[in-house]
Amino acid sequence: MARIELKDVVKRYGSVEVLRDIDLDIEDGEFIVLVGPSGCGKSTLLRMIAGLEPITSGDFLIDGERMNDVRPRDRDIAMVFQSYALYPHMDVARNMGFSMEIRKDPSNERTSRVKQAAETLGLTSLTERLPKALSGGQRQRVAMGRAIIRDPRAFLFDEPLSNLDASLRVEMRLEIARLHQKLGATMIYVTHDQVEALTLADRIVVLNGGDIQQVGSPLDLYERPANKFVAQFIGSPTMNIIPVQGKSNGVKLADGALLELPHLFGTIDAVELGIRPEHIDVVEVGDLVGVADVVEHLGSDTNLYLQVEGLGPLMVREHGNIPVQPGDRVGLRIQSENVHLFGPDGNALRCHTNEAAA
Amino acid sequence: MAIAQSRPLLAIGKYAALLGYLTFALFPLYWLLKIAITPDQLIFTEGTQLWPSSLTLDNFRTVLFQTDFLAYFGNSLYVSLGTAAATTLIAAGAGYAFSRFDFGGKRIIIAVMLITQMFPLLMIIAPIYKIVASLGMLNSLTSLIVVYTAFNIPFATFLMQSFFDGIPKDLEEAAMMDGCSRFQALRKVIFPLTLPGLGATLGFVFTAAWSELLFALMLISKNEAMTFPVGLLTFVSKFSVDWGQMMAAGVLALIPSCLFFIFIQRYLVQGLTSGAVKG
């Protein structure tokens, strides 16, 4: 069990700065997800915590103790690799018990821990197999078994589910969530999949281009994105971004219509408006008129890809099944209480009265 | 199999091509064996017949008991095993370093190692002779081991490097997360997975040293230090060539190579690393 702190951590390869001023305080038992597009530095950050990658500058602390120069083996952290990294010449039981073998723990204790972990993960009948005789999901389980066997201070996961097929991914996601509930251990999880991030995390850290964009609970990020990047990265389908002109009582859309936002102030600074597809209603007569381009009927939802005159493309998600065909003209109403406004620098304008007060 | 069934002609063609190649490759070996067991007086009279009308093991008996062949054989074994062991050990270390670490001068060292492979041996044989002579190491088997090792290291290093490159880095990192030092990770995880590579390198270097003639001829002149390829030339006298005995000696010389490859072939089996990563 551990509290992990990163203070002004920087990573440079030569003159290339891949991570800048990373400040992060991870509570004991917290499930943190690092998310971002590929190349954002999230895996590098994880490997720095693991000790596989040196930290250029800044401090990395576990339970208040500086760990920058401590070898991976002495950090007492377990890691599950994207590739699983199972030892191909060892059977499942030895793979799982390898860390205890290295630490020279008594063999009867090792056997019982392996047995226990195998039961937890449903691997009991497979303990004598070699990794090559296992399916992808089973390998994934063995990799997790190897991590939980030794009761480490923290768990690191590097995109552990990205090699699994969709249904198995959902299953293993649940398993990881259960594991976290059961062990109550500090876990740091890297993914580029926002669904994994939103479902697993206590807090999400959104990274882009080597900078932390925002840290917050899944709902925080969804409801109050700090900037345009987070707004578009979190939430599926992606948020619509519409260029606007800020006015004192609302924003003026490109087609000339004024969207009144009387509950907001400071709207004068807005240059873009963000609205999630699920926050646009299809109505008889609305603020906007769009022509349906593509209609996707998902059963539970209907996705409409529309062309709005003077505004360009817009995506709308309606709950349930609505009878719209491609080519139909539909009226649209933007839910003004769910509007996000962004300033010229791409940062969100905090113009809700309650936020300003807080 | 489905393809073979639907296109029998193609399958037959494939096997015919294989058969043709095997015949081409193995016929000299067959001829070696045939002459070795042909009585001396029939070698020229039945010259081109595929199978001699009578067989004899006299040639083998003469080679084994009336010549210094066994001594040559022992010398060759000593030199080849020594070279294979020394080269593989050094090449494994160097290959691992090239595969896993970034260090100053890495590219230059690789370039220099490549350059050493560019020169024809004939060009450097005189300087090598001078060096060995001035060290007083002529007619010693150790000098052969040193020279062979030096010449085989570059290629063996590249061979080993490619084997290490084929072992995912994740495995070492996983071992280090599991509590290994880098050396423990190497010994417990990487080494067992490199056995095929070590086997291939050992086999390659052993065969190269076993059949090397040029340096052995230059650096060894005393009969008691001759390796087998040099010794083979003693069957050539001023007035005649003792074909039967020479071929019998050749057949005997194949035995260690064959045994060596039978011994290492189980390590050469591919797919040992499968199942390590992904699926």
Side-chain angles (χ1 to χ4, degrees):
Chain A
M1 301 304 108
R3 178 178 161 179
I4 295 173
E5 291 162 274
L6 295 155
K7 289 179 181 165
D8 297 326
V9 166
V10 174
K11 176 68 188 176
R12 255 182 244 117
Y13 290 110
S15 60
V16 185
E17 213 163 57
V18 290
L19 285 167
R20 267 178 299 272
D21 301 332
I22 302 296
D23 270 301
L24 200 57
D25 206 335
I26 299 168
E27 296 291 324
D28 182 19
E30 206 175 8
F31 199 123
I32 288 279
V33 174
L34 306 176
V35 68
S38 43
C40 71
K42 57 191 189 296
S43 284
T44 309
L45 185 56
L46 194 76
R47 289 168 57 82
M48 281 157 71
I49 294 171
L52 298 171
E53 202 77 65
I55 297 169
T56 313
S57 70
D59 293 311
F60 164 55
L61 310 156
I62 300 180
D63 288 333
E65 203 182 327
R66 193 171 186 273
M67 286 296 197
N68 285 42
D69 305 314
V70 175
R71 288 186 298 179
R73 56 181 291 196
D74 300 322
R75 294 190 186 192
D76 194 16
I77 293 176
M79 179 156 166
V80 177
F81 289 76
Q82 179 176 14
S83 63
Y84 318 144
L86 302 180
Y87 312 124
H89 55 300
M90 301 180 191
D91 64 17
V92 167
R94 196 161 164 230
N95 256 292
M96 294 206 288
F98 187 66
S99 60
M100 298 183 76
E101 183 183 323
I102 290 295
R103 281 191 314 195
K104 301 199 165 61
D105 287 336
S107 74
N108 54 349
E109 190 188 325
R110 190 166 87 216
T111 319
S112 75
R113 292 290 294 263
V114 168
K115 195 163 162 252
Q116 200 185 334
E119 268 166 29
T120 310
L121 293 163
L123 292 167
T124 309
S125 61
L126 305 172
T127 48
E128 280 165 22
R129 289 214 198 157
L130 288 175
K132 67 179 169 202
L134 301 176
S135 70
Q138 290 165 340
R139 285 177 200 176
Q140 173 64 57
R141 276 170 220 269
V142 177
M144 297 217 311
R146 202 166 61 176
I148 63 173
I149 198 98
R150 64 196 172 98
D151 197 13
R153 294 210 276 191
F155 290 88
L156 309 180
F157 296 88
D158 188 4
E159 307 207 24
L161 307 183
S162 59
N163 289 328
L164 301 178
D165 60 41
S167 64
L168 209 51
R169 205 176 302 167
V170 174
E171 197 183 306
M172 291 310 292
R173 201 174 73 206
L174 284 172
E175 205 131 322
I176 292 174
R178 261 184 228 122
L179 200 67
H180 181 238
Q181 276 171 14
K182 190 171 160 222
L183 301 175
T186 311
M187 292 186 175
I188 307 176
Y189 187 106
V190 162
T191 181
H192 60 261
D193 183 311
Q194 53 150 319
V195 180
E196 279 173 31
L198 292 167
T199 50
L200 287 171
D202 291 325
R203 279 193 302 158
I204 298 176
V205 178
V206 183
L207 286 156
N208 187 36
D211 292 304
I212 292 185
Q213 302 290 320
Q214 190 172 2
V215 183
S217 72
L219 273 184
D220 257 351
L221 300 191
Y222 179 83
E223 287 172 355
R224 285 178 291 279
N227 55 38
K228 215 168 90 183
F229 176 81
V230 176
Q232 288 202 288
F233 194 79
I234 299 292
S236 172
T238 312
M239 181 187 281
N240 297 294
I241 302 285
I242 307 165
V244 293
Q245 209 181 344
K247 295 285 171 194
S248 58
N249 58 340
V251 292
K252 197 170 157 193
L253 302 179
D255 63 349
L258 183 76
L259 186 66
E260 286 191 37
L261 300 166
H263 60 295
L264 301 180
F265 64 93
T267 52
I268 189 89
D269 296 325
V271 297
E272 280 172 314
L273 174 147
I275 183 78
R276 296 195 183 277
E278 53 270 39
H279 295 151
I280 303 176
D281 298 323
V282 174
V283 289
E284 290 288 318
V285 182
D287 316 322
L288 303 165
V289 177
V291 179
D293 204 2
V294 176
V295 182
E296 294 173 342
H297 293 285
L298 304 178
S300 61
D301 297 290
T302 307
N303 290 342
L304 303 175
Y305 296 83
L306 304 143
Q307 284 293 334
V308 178
E309 218 166 293
L311 277 187
L314 204 63
M315 194 202 163
V316 175
R317 166 172 276 195
E318 274 293 291
H319 201 62
N321 217 343
I322 57 166
V324 177
Q325 298 299 322
D328 288 359
R329 289 170 68 85
V330 291
L332 302 170
R333 195 181 64 81
I334 291 172
Q335 298 176 6
S336 56
E337 66 275 20
N338 286 319
V339 155
H340 304 266
L341 295 178
F342 302 103
D345 55 359
N347 284 334
L349 299 176
R350 293 293 177 207
C351 32
H352 285 270
T353 35
N354 56 349
E355 277 175 22
Chain B
M1 280 317 279
I3 293 168
Q5 277 164 7
S6 60
R7 292 191 185 171
L9 268 180
L10 193 71
I12 292 168
K14 273 187 205 162
Y15 283 110
L18 262 179
L19 194 71
Y21 170 74
L22 279 177
T23 313
F24 179 76
L26 293 179
F27 187 76
L29 285 180
Y30 166 72
W31 210 246
L32 184 80
L33 187 67
K34 189 216 119 174
I35 294 180
I37 55 175
T38 304
D40 269 345
Q41 63 275 18
L42 294 182
I43 283 183
F44 293 105
T45 50
E46 292 186 356
T48 53
Q49 279 183 21
L50 279 179
W51 195 245
S53 53
S54 70
L55 302 177
T56 176
L57 289 176
D58 280 350
N59 290 326
F60 288 95
R61 216 169 285 133
T62 319
V63 165
L64 284 175
F65 302 115
Q66 285 163 34
T67 66
D68 291 332
F69 180 81
L70 281 180
Y72 305 155
F73 202 85
N75 288 342
S76 263
L77 211 57
Y78 172 75
V79 169
S80 304
L81 285 177
T83 306
T87 307
T88 306
L89 201 67
I90 296 168
Y96 181 76
F98 283 144
S99 169
R100 290 296 195 262
F101 301 122
D102 267 317
F103 50 88
K106 178 173 163 180
R107 299 178 74 127
I108 295 172
I109 295 173
I110 291 178
V112 169
M113 284 173 73
L114 266 177
I115 287 170
T116 64
Q117 301 292 288
M118 287 182 194
F119 299 106
L121 287 184
L122 279 171
M123 261 175 71
I124 40 177
I125 197 144
I128 293 278
Y129 180 84
K130 277 287 229 186
I131 294 169
V132 174
S134 57
L135 288 172
M137 286 173 74
L138 286 178
N139 283 317
S140 91
L141 296 174
T142 318
S143 72
L144 281 185
I145 293 182
V146 172
V147 172
Y148 290 172
T149 302
F151 272 90
N152 280 307
I153 278 175
F155 185 80
T157 300
F158 294 134
L159 200 63
M160 284 309 300
Q161 185 194 344
S162 71
F163 278 106
F164 283 120
D165 283 345
I167 298 173
K169 230 177 167 172
D170 280 3
L171 288 180
E172 264 164 303
E173 292 181 343
M176 287 197 267
M177 294 302 295
D178 268 350
C180 289
S181 62
R182 183 172 272 278
F183 185 72
Q184 272 179 316
L186 182 64
R187 190 165 57 87
K188 297 214 172 227
V189 176
I190 304 301
F191 175 72
L193 300 175
T194 325
L195 286 179
L198 289 173
T201 310
L202 275 174
F204 166 80
V205 178
F206 180 88
T207 321
W210 183 256
S211 56
E212 208 285 335
L213 174 64
L214 200 57
F215 281 106
L217 203 57
M218 288 301 293
L219 301 178
I220 307 289
S221 51
K222 276 198 196 141
N223 197 48
E224 65 266 25
M226 276 184 188
T227 57
F228 159 76
V230 184
L232 212 52
L233 290 177
T234 60
F235 293 105
V236 184
S237 65
K238 206 167 183 181
F239 305 105
S240 70
V241 178
D242 203 332
W243 290 111
Q245 287 178 25
M246 202 175 184
M247 297 301 144
V251 170
L252 290 171
L254 281 174
I255 293 171
S257 284
C258 291
L259 284 179
F260 200 78
F261 271 91
I262 289 168
F263 171 69
I264 62 168
Q265 67 91 24
R266 65 193 167 116
Y267 297 111
L268 289 172
V269 178
Q270 289 300 307
L272 200 63
T273 55
S274 72
V277 295
K278 295 189 192 173

